[in-house]
Amino acid sequence: MSASAQASTEHEKLADGLMHKTRASYVAALILIASLATASFFMLNSVISANTQKTALIELGARQQLLSQRILLSATEAHTADAQWLRTQARQNLKAALESFLANERILRNGSPDARSPLHRLELSEDATKLFTEVPGQIDASTRILEHTVNSYLKLLPDSVSAEMPADAIAHFAALRLYVAEKARREYETLTRLFTSEAAEKGAAVEKIHLTVFVLTLLLLVAEAVLIFRPLVRRVVSCTTELLRARDQMNFAANHDALTGLYNRAFLNDYMDTALATARRKGEAIAVIHLDLDHFKTVNDTLGHAAGDAVLIETARRLVASVRESDVCVRLGGDEFTVILTDVGTEAAAVEVAARITASIKQPLEFAGASLKPSASAGVALFHDATATMDELFVNADLALYRAKADGRGGYQLFATTLRDKFEEKANLERELREAIATEAFAVHFQPQVSLQTGKVIGVEALVRWEVMGRNVSPGEFLPAAEKAGLMPAIGRSIFAKAIRTAAGWHRMGLDFGRLSLNVSAQELHEADFANHLLGLLKAEGLPNRLVALEIVESVMLDDENSGIGLTLKRLRKAGIRMELDDFGTGYASLSHISANEVDRLKIDRRFIRDIHKNPANSKIVKAIIELARGLGISIIAEGAETERELSFLRELGCPAVQGYGIAFPMPDAQAEAWLAMRNASPQPVVARTA
């Protein structure tokens, strides 16, 4: 064999050997990488499973804490119930809460019988097990004590609220309230913290192992780059694509509304600066259309937030379909939207777009089998002046929107300087209101309420009056402005003080005025010290609580479930102050609120009384309200009666009491005192007064 052939053979052998070694190293690396990846997968799967179970345990522990407090709350309601149905309901709630508490405790100890539950094969840690049986936990013992205390209390609790509470029942309730329920809550709080700590420790340990596996994998990837380069690149590309997609989604979320997909307020602020600068440079016009859905709160209150969301989404779709691609649609929040029209040209073109938008939104919308008829009001403002600012443009659009709302909703208005003048008038009115509050310039007039059967005075309503520079300002003019400015609490306190002081004087004189009715707004009831202030004022003036009634409107009854108003009204009613529902029949109050437990009298709104003898529909409504009130054991009064025919018709319908110009106009305190004195001296049958 020649030397060259021999060298070639040796090179081939060397190449083959190197190839075999390289292939072997690739295979070994692949096996190691696969092993590490498999181990990482199973470890991650293990920690996910463990965290799922720990999460379920933490939720169950937190539920036990809430149930312990629910047990205490139900026991307290049963103990303090002043009505039979309240005690029965509280007893049932207490039993149900205890049963849930004990069922959850069994799951914590033995696991869930449901194979699909993460707690099906539950194995508690040694520390968790000790909390059930050893000091300082002893959850088992505390649970048994809680079960014994509640069952003993239920066994001893009288079924009748009129029965005397046994001493043993009081003792068990005291133990439950002072120690047992709170101890159970603290112990489950400790258990929940332990579960959280265990989950964190396990996660940290697995994270360290996973990090080590990851580092080893990277080293092998570097060593065997040729073998695994392609899948690694693919994976990197895939991860990069996901990150870019996530970044794009974050950018979208930062500038878009999550529900409708329209631009949001943050985007609008940045966009308008650029748009206005461009318009100034090119000499173009920009139009802003502000929109607000009409009666949107009614949709949420009656059909639920899902229906409200459907209306918002469809409104957004219709907005986009009604404008050009170059225009910008923005959801400001709630039911408010803005459309920016670039290079709009003329006012007529902007108004045409507003008309198209409002007409599109008015089209019926189907939701869950119900036909919704949305509508929107719009205000249009144009940017012409090179010195104008974004804030001025938006304020002008808002003023036009308010005008559209005032004109009956469902339409649009173009901004005019007269709207700004009206805005300034409102600002001046607000300033004058603040001055009137500071100088106590508001006066109180009193309008009598009488029985239709006997002619006896059964009450007087205190009404606010305001005179400015010799002109009597209508309450319909200044009260809405005061409410928008948040001034109602201050005005109300001034009127309450004057009315109660006058009524207290009548009471000391022995002048029978029935009951003093005071109108109160939701803003006043939201005041934290409203009840204390009113009760303190009555006590200071010496007017008994039983001679006072609060008139509230139906919208307050709807709001009290989501605010502190309900508690305030209950406290005042318990103190002896009567509650009257004003303007009944004109709002959306739920009949669940119309009960003798919450309302003492219904006041039929004047719009149903006017010409009632000529309007069969109104007479049927009034008759139905009277029968409803009588069936529920609630008093009733009609307001706005002005003619003898209206009074006679109300008497025929069985209405027990009336108030209105047909009886007497609202009068200052001295005139009202004289009227009451005359009426006290010789009660008169109810006839319409003559001019």
Side-chain angles (χ1 to χ4, degrees):
M1 181 178 295
S2 65
S4 61
Q6 185 176 0
S8 177
T9 302
E10 290 178 355
H11 288 161
E12 289 178 2
K13 289 181 179 179
L14 181 61
D16 288 340
L18 182 60
M19 183 64 69
H20 286 306
K21 289 180 180 179
T22 303
R23 187 179 294 119
S25 64
Y26 285 168
V27 172
L30 185 60
I31 292 173
L32 287 173
I33 292 172
S35 301
L36 291 172
T38 303
S40 177
F41 169 80
F42 283 108
M43 281 188 292
L44 287 175
N45 189 58
S46 173
V47 74
I48 290 172
S49 176
N51 282 343
T52 301
Q53 187 175 87
K54 289 298 182 185
T55 300
L57 285 172
I58 291 169
E59 291 177 352
L60 195 56
R63 198 177 304 135
Q64 288 295 82
Q65 298 175 48
L66 291 175
L67 282 172
S68 66
Q69 298 309 297
R70 187 180 299 171
I71 288 171
L72 177 57
L73 176 61
S74 298
T76 303
E77 291 174 346
H79 199 76
T80 59
D82 56 358
Q84 190 62 46
W85 69 271
L86 287 175
R87 175 161 291 178
T88 302
Q89 184 64 47
R91 183 189 290 272
Q92 293 173 353
N93 292 342
L94 181 54
K95 289 180 179 179
L98 179 61
E99 290 174 0
S100 297
F101 187 90
L102 296 176
N104 290 342
E105 193 268 350
R106 287 192 294 272
I107 292 175
L108 282 170
R109 290 306 309 273
N110 305 319
S112 172
D114 186 0
R116 295 170 296 178
S117 170
L119 301 179
H120 178 53
R121 294 181 178 177
L122 176 63
E123 291 183 7
L124 295 177
S125 66
E126 183 178 350
D127 290 339
T129 303
K130 286 181 179 179
L131 284 178
F132 279 88
T133 58
E134 298 179 9
V135 175
Q138 292 185 311
I139 294 177
D140 285 345
S142 297
T143 301
R144 302 288 82 77
I145 292 173
L146 178 65
E147 179 181 9
H148 171 74
T149 304
V150 172
N151 286 333
S152 299
Y153 174 71
L154 285 170
K155 188 179 299 182
L156 295 169
L157 181 69
D159 290 332
S160 173
V161 294
S162 61
E164 182 178 356
M165 186 69 69
D168 287 345
I170 295 174
H172 281 97
F173 172 72
L176 181 65
R177 181 169 60 89
L178 297 176
Y179 173 72
V180 175
E182 182 60 20
K183 186 173 187 302
R185 186 194 67 76
R186 289 199 305 270
E187 288 168 354
Y188 274 99
E189 183 179 7
T190 301
L191 184 63
T192 303
R193 285 200 300 268
L194 176 62
F195 290 150
T196 304
S197 175
E198 290 177 350
E201 290 175 1
K202 186 172 182 63
V206 172
E207 183 179 359
K208 290 180 180 179
I209 298 173
H210 183 61
L211 181 61
T212 303
V213 172
F214 178 74
V215 171
L216 292 175
T217 303
L218 285 181
L219 292 175
L220 288 171
L221 288 174
V222 172
E224 306 291 345
V226 175
L227 180 64
I228 59 175
F229 178 74
R230 183 175 296 176
L232 175 62
V233 169
R234 289 177 177 173
R235 182 58 180 164
V236 169
V237 170
S238 175
C239 290
T240 303
T241 303
E242 291 178 4
L243 288 173
L244 291 175
R245 188 181 298 114
R247 182 200 63 186
D248 293 341
Q249 290 174 349
M250 291 174 63
N251 289 337
F252 184 88
N255 292 299
H256 291 75
D257 174 58
L259 177 65
T260 63
L262 299 181
Y263 288 111
N264 59 18
R265 188 185 293 270
F267 170 84
L268 179 64
N269 294 334
D270 295 336
Y271 172 80
M272 284 303 295
D273 291 336
T274 303
L276 290 178
T278 302
R280 290 191 185 98
R281 187 175 66 254
K282 295 183 177 181
E284 297 175 348
I286 290 179
V288 172
I289 304 177
H290 273 191
L291 296 105
D292 186 274
L293 294 180
D294 302 324
H295 307 300
F296 180 71
K297 185 176 184 299
T298 302
V299 176
N300 277 334
D301 290 342
T302 56
L303 298 178
H305 290 284
D309 289 347
V311 171
L312 293 173
I313 293 171
E314 180 61 18
T315 297
R317 189 195 66 77
R318 294 177 182 181
L319 276 181
V320 173
S322 301
V323 300
R324 303 167 300 178
E325 289 186 5
S326 60
D327 299 327
V328 175
C329 298
V330 180
R331 182 189 177 199
L332 298 177
D335 60 341
E336 298 180 61
F337 298 85
T338 287
V339 177
I340 311 299
L341 306 179
T342 58
D343 190 17
V344 70
T346 64
E347 290 183 348
V351 169
E352 181 183 351
V353 175
R356 186 164 63 244
I357 289 174
T358 53
S360 173
I361 293 176
K362 283 182 180 179
Q363 297 303 313
L365 166 66
E366 295 295 325
F367 175 79
S371 179
L372 305 179
K373 296 181 179 179
S375 70
S377 302
V380 185
L382 267 73
F383 168 79
H384 289 301
D385 187 358
T387 62
T389 65
M390 178 181 68
D391 290 339
E392 291 176 355
L393 188 60
F394 284 176
V395 168
N396 292 345
D398 276 336
L399 292 174
L401 172 60
Y402 295 151
R403 180 61 184 176
K405 289 278 189 182
D407 287 348
R409 303 175 186 269
Y412 55 87
Q413 276 288 334
L414 179 66
F415 171 77
T417 54
T418 54
L419 295 179
R420 186 172 291 279
D421 294 339
K422 291 183 178 180
F423 176 76
E424 292 176 356
E425 288 178 7
K426 290 183 179 180
N428 291 333
L429 177 59
E430 181 179 333
R431 177 180 52 77
E432 292 176 347
L433 283 170
R434 295 184 186 277
E435 292 176 358
I437 291 171
T439 58
E440 296 188 353
F442 294 102
V444 183
H445 285 197
F446 300 88
Q447 186 174 32
Q449 302 167 341
V450 300
S451 167
L452 266 176
Q453 283 69 36
T454 65
K456 177 180 172 59
V457 176
I458 62 171
V460 291
E461 180 181 0
L463 300 168
V464 61
R465 293 294 183 265
W466 184 30
E467 182 178 319
V468 180
M469 300 179 63
R471 179 177 74 92
N472 289 321
V473 185
S474 168
E477 179 181 348
F478 71 82
L479 286 181
E483 186 169 6
K484 288 184 179 180
L487 301 177
M488 286 303 298
I491 295 176
R493 295 199 176 194
S494 174
I495 296 304
F496 279 19
K498 293 180 180 180
I500 291 173
R501 189 179 303 119
T502 300
W506 293 343
H507 179 64
R508 286 190 292 271
M509 293 168 52
L511 188 63
D512 183 11
F513 59 87
R515 184 175 287 105
L516 174 66
S517 293
L518 301 170
N519 290 281
V520 59
S521 67
Q523 282 186 8
E524 295 170 79
L525 290 172
H526 274 300
E527 294 285 302
D529 65 336
F530 176 80
N532 289 335
H533 176 79
L534 178 58
L535 295 174
L537 191 60
L538 292 171
K539 183 177 181 181
E541 296 294 344
L543 182 64
N545 296 350
R546 59 182 173 79
L547 297 182
V548 177
L550 293 183
E551 292 192 13
I552 56 180
V553 295
E554 297 182 27
S555 59
V556 174
M557 299 298 290
L558 285 174
D559 289 342
D560 67 5
E561 293 179 349
N562 302 316
S563 65
I565 292 179
L567 295 176
T568 299
L569 295 178
K570 288 178 182 177
R571 179 186 172 191
L572 292 173
R573 196 164 186 267
K574 189 174 182 181
I577 295 176
R578 288 169 61 93
M579 297 297 156
E580 301 185 0
L581 195 56
D582 197 9
D583 300 336
F584 184 71
T586 63
Y588 301 94
S590 168
L591 288 178
S592 64
H593 291 289
I594 313 305
S595 70
N597 293 324
E598 298 187 34
V599 177
D600 297 289
R601 186 165 72 172
L602 301 181
K603 202 168 188 181
I604 305 175
D605 187 70
R606 66 181 72 249
R607 72 186 65 181
F608 297 114
I609 306 304
R610 185 179 298 114
D611 293 330
I612 188 174
H613 54 288
K614 300 178 182 178
N615 193 324
N618 281 355
S619 65
K620 290 178 181 178
I621 291 173
V622 172
K623 184 176 182 180
I625 294 174
I626 293 172
E627 303 231 352
L628 170 67
R630 184 180 294 119
L632 295 174
I634 300 174
S635 300
I636 200 159
I637 184 172
E639 62 177 338
E642 298 184 359
T643 67
E644 179 61 36
R645 192 70 188 92
E646 290 171 354
L647 291 171
S648 299
F649 203 86
L650 287 171
R651 189 182 290 110
E652 293 172 7
L653 290 178
C655 183
V658 292
Q659 169 187 349
Y661 292 167
I663 305 299
F665 286 108
M667 300 170 281
D669 52 359
Q671 187 178 343
E673 181 179 321
W675 192 94
L676 290 170
M678 178 186 68
R679 202 79 177 195
N680 280 191
S682 57
Q684 306 169 16
V686 178
V687 294
R689 62 180 299 280
T690 57

